[in-house]
């Protein structure tokens, strides 16, 4: 349309339309065209009604339900013509046409359509229909372009003559008909993107599956003929989505879908029941949680006061129920404070014992210095997270070692010079052995308390036997040291088979003390103030101690057990008669 010849041809077609209007206005004789479509249009609100009957819509593409109606065009609703003389009407129609021609060349196809339609409504002529159709084709509005081109083909008279520089009407009619066939088969271009990508896409029409594809980050391309389709997206682990797509001839479409994961159920129960629950750093409840969640991996965090927090990765499987029970362990108690205190005391004892054979107040001064050195050294060297069981066993080992050194040095040697160094050496060696064993065995505070009790009461038994039999010094010392060793061995074996708390061990120790007190009371009642030998008093003490320890151990045997033995929290689901499911919470166990 940019050459001068083409412009002259356009102008000639416009003049032909004006002439046709003039003939209509003057009622001049006009040769009857071979086709009714060539009849000139009357001046009415529907100018194209007689000149160009509406063609039927193109055959529906696969998936059209029902067949589409003939498309309503702008020229079907022109409205009344202005009341102007014929020459003014011709001039106005020509001006609209010329503006439409210029706008088409400039690329303003929307403006060109508006001007060409205005020209056609003033002076209907079939040649203008082709220009409108071509303008719509340039806009990619293929369905409207086809409708106008069909009107053009239907409106070309059989005896139409070629205008200057214009193709033969009959040949042009065949070419335009072929163009209509090409445009009618242009597929719609449908691009589909999903998050996440990789979803299978299917287009289903009235006759079944029409096309399929896969979503990609840039949009998976699917080609389909014009029609109405059901588009379905499927991806394993995600909810299928279906939507209706109305595709027009040759049109591009872009869709984006956020896929939703299929849901499973997560049920969480915590011990203790006041623990706080977090899912992916989001607070979800206290003690228990039960809800449907999209199938995915989640990070579950359970926290409670004075308990060790637990973090787990939970896999929620679609259409399944994941049941989780989390039991939080108590936080280990720190033994740093008691070790700091004992460190100062032990430092003073060690230095004063080591210097006990020196003259003057050197031992006293050494004890004070040892207290300071032990406290400062402990503050620097003892870690903040020292387990309470380790510190307890260290202290007991140190005391037992010091007593053992003292007893052995006094029982097997008459030289006072060995007492202090032996006591100091035993204190340091016993403490080192206790720390090493406690750290290697990762001993609990309860087990440490049980071993401490064994060493304590073993030493007491040994001492009582030594007092009762009044053997020579070395034998008595051996009984005392042997009693502590036997108590250590016995309590260690018990700790391997039983686990008790510190408070439970304290109750048993209290039973031993009570047994000693009770034995003294019983002995005083039985003997009624008579002279009593040390051996008899010692025998009563041994019996009372034994009865007290045994009775306390028996009476407190369930101290560390729950009120209901072997009780465990249970989670489940109960199905009602209508098929709905309700979460259930309870306890299970053996009695």
């Amino acid at each position: 349309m940019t050459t001068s010849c083409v412009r002259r041809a356009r102008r000639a077609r416009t003049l032909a339309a004006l002439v046709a209007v003039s003939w209509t206005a003057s009622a001049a004789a006009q040769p009857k065209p071979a086709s009714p479509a060539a009849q000139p249009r009357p001046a009415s609100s529907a100018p194209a009604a007689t000149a160009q009957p509406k063609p039927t819509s193109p055959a529906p593409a696969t998936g059209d339900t029902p067949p589409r109606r003939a498309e309503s065009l702008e020229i079907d609703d022109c409205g009344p013509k202005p009341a102007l003389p014929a020459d003014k009407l011709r001039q106005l129609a020509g001006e609209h046409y010329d503006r439409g021609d210029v706008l088409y060349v400039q690329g303003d196809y929307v403006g060109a359509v508006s001007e060409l339609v205005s020209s056609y409504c003033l002076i209907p002529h079939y040649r203008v229909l082709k220009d409108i159709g071509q303008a719509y084709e340039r806009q990619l509005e293929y369905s409207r372009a086809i409708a106008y081109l069909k009107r053009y083909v239907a409106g070309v008279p059989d005896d139409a003559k070629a205008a200057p520089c214009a193709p033969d009407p009959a040949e042009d009619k065949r070419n335009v008909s072929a163009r209509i066939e090409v445009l009618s088969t242009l597929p719609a271009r449908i691009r589909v993107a999903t998050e996440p990508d990789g979803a299978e896409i299917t287009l289903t029409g009235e006759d079944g599956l029409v096309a399929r594809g896969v979503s990609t980050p840039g949009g998976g391309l699917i080609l389909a003929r014009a029609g109405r389709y059901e588009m379905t997206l499927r991806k394993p682990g995600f909810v299928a989505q279906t939507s209706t797509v109305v595709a027009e001839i040759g049109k591009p479409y872009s869709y984006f879908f956020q896929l939703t994961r299929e849901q499973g159920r997560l049920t969480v129960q915590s011990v203790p029941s006041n623990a706080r629950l977090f899912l992916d750093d989001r607070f979800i409840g206290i003690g228990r949680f039960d809800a449907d969640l999209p199938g995915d991996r989640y990070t579950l965090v359970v926290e409670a006061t004075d308990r060790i927090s637990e973090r787990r990765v939970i896999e929620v499987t679609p259409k399944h129920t994941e049941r989780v029970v989390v039991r939080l362990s108590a936080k280990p108690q720190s033994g740093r404070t008691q070790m700091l205190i004992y460190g100062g005391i032990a430092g003073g004892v060690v230095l004063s014992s080591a210097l006990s054979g020196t003259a003057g107040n050197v031992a006293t001064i050494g004890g004070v210095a040892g207290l300071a050195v032990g406290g400062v050294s402990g503050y620097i060297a003892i870690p903040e997270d020292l387990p309470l069981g380790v510190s307890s066993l260290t202290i007991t080992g140190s005391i037992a070692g010091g007593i053992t050194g003292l007893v052995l040095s006094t029982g097997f040697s008459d030289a006072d010079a060995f007492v202090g160094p032996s006591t100091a050496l035993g204190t340091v060696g016993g403490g080192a052995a206790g720390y090493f064993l406690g750290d290697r065995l990762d001993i609990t505070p309860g087990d440490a308390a049980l071993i401490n009790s064994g060493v304590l009461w073993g030493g007491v038994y040994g001492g009582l036997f030594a007092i009762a039999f009044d053997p020579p010094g070395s034998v008595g010392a051996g009984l005392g040291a042997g009693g502590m060793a036997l108590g250590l061995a016995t309590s260690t074996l018990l700790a391997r088979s039983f686990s008790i708390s510190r408070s439970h061990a304290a109750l048993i120790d209290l039973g031993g003390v009570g047994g000693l007190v009770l034995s003294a009371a019983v002995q005083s009642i039985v003997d009624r103030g008579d002279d009593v030998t040390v051996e008899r008093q010692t025998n009563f003490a041994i019996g009372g101690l034994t009865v007290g320890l045994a009775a306390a151990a028996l009476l407190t045997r369930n101290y560390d057990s729950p009120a209901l033995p072997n009780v465990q929290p249970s989670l489940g689901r109960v199905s009602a008669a209508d098929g709905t499911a309700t979460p259930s919470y309870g306890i299970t166990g053996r009695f």
Side-chain angles (χ1 to χ4, degrees), residues 192-194 199-202 215 231-235 238-243 256-257 259:
V192 182
T194 61
E200 180 190 31
I201 309 163
T202 57
S215 66
M231 182 168 64
T232 304
L233 293 89
R234 294 184 178 88
K235 184 177 176 67
F238 292 83
V239 179
Q241 296 190 32
T242 301
S243 59
F256 175 81
F257 296 91
L259 301 182

Side-chain angles (χ1 to χ4, degrees), residues 239-524:
V239 179
Q241 296 190 32
T242 301
S243 59
T244 301
V245 174
V246 179
E248 296 185 16
I249 298 172
K251 282 271 192 169
Y253 299 90
S254 294
Y255 296 93
F256 175 81
F257 296 91
Q258 181 69 50
L259 301 182
T260 302
R261 290 185 177 273
E262 291 182 330
Q263 291 194 333
R265 196 164 191 88
L266 176 62
T267 302
V268 180
Q269 178 70 52
S270 69
V271 179
S273 59
N274 63 344
R276 298 176 297 276
L277 309 179
F278 298 86
L279 200 65
D280 287 348
D281 298 327
R282 178 175 60 90
F283 177 73
I284 58 174
I286 295 178
R288 65 186 183 188
F289 173 76
D290 185 70
D292 291 326
L293 296 173
D296 203 349
R297 287 189 176 183
Y298 298 89
T299 300
L300 174 67
V301 177
V302 184
E303 299 178 348
T305 305
D306 296 329
R307 301 278 180 152
I308 300 176
S309 300
E310 185 165 339
R311 177 183 293 266
R312 293 188 186 180
V313 176
I314 304 298
E315 182 89 28
V316 177
T317 305
K319 301 178 181 179
H320 289 81
T321 299
E322 182 72 17
R323 294 181 174 88
V324 179
V325 177
V326 180
R327 298 177 180 84
L328 299 182
S329 301
K331 287 184 177 179
Q333 297 172 288
S334 175
R336 187 172 190 270
T337 300
Q338 69 177 17
M339 277 295 292
L340 284 174
I341 297 173
Y342 180 75
I345 297 173
V349 171
V350 169
L351 279 181
S352 63
S353 298
L355 299 174
S356 60
T358 59
N361 296 323
V362 176
T364 304
I365 296 173
V368 174
L371 181 66
V373 171
V376 173
S377 300
Y379 184 83
I380 296 174
I382 298 174
E384 292 285 348
D385 58 348
L386 178 68
L388 182 59
V390 176
S391 67
S392 180
L393 195 62
T394 302
I395 293 173
T396 301
S398 177
I399 295 174
I403 294 175
T404 302
L406 175 63
V407 170
L408 293 178
S409 64
T410 57
F412 290 96
S413 176
D414 294 331
D416 294 338
F418 290 104
V419 175
S422 297
T423 303
L425 183 61
T427 301
V428 175
Y435 180 86
F436 176 78
L437 291 175
D439 186 61
R440 286 292 301 270
L441 300 176
D442 193 21
I443 195 166
T444 65
D447 290 343
L450 180 59
I451 295 174
N452 295 344
S453 297
V455 174
L456 169 65
W457 296 118
V460 171
Y461 270 110
L464 289 174
F465 276 108
I467 295 173
F469 295 110
D470 192 21
S474 59
V475 176
L479 286 174
M484 285 192 293
L486 182 60
L488 174 62
T490 303
S491 58
T492 302
L493 292 175
L494 289 174
R496 293 184 60 185
S497 302
F498 301 95
S499 180
I500 66 173
S501 63
R502 296 181 71 201
S503 57
H504 189 183
L507 288 176
I508 296 176
D509 293 340
L510 185 61
V513 174
L516 289 175
V517 174
L518 182 60
S519 68
V522 172
Q523 183 268 327
S524 64

Side-chain angles (χ1 to χ4, degrees), residues 10 25-26 34 63 69 95 121 159-160 193 208 214 219 237 256 285 300 323 329 425 445 454 469 475 512 515 526 578:
R10 285 181 177 277
S26 60
R69 301 176 182 176
E95 290 173 355
C121 287
D159 58 351
V214 176
F256 175 81
L300 174 67
R323 294 181 174 88
S329 301
L425 183 61
F469 295 110
V475 176
V526 171
D578 59 358

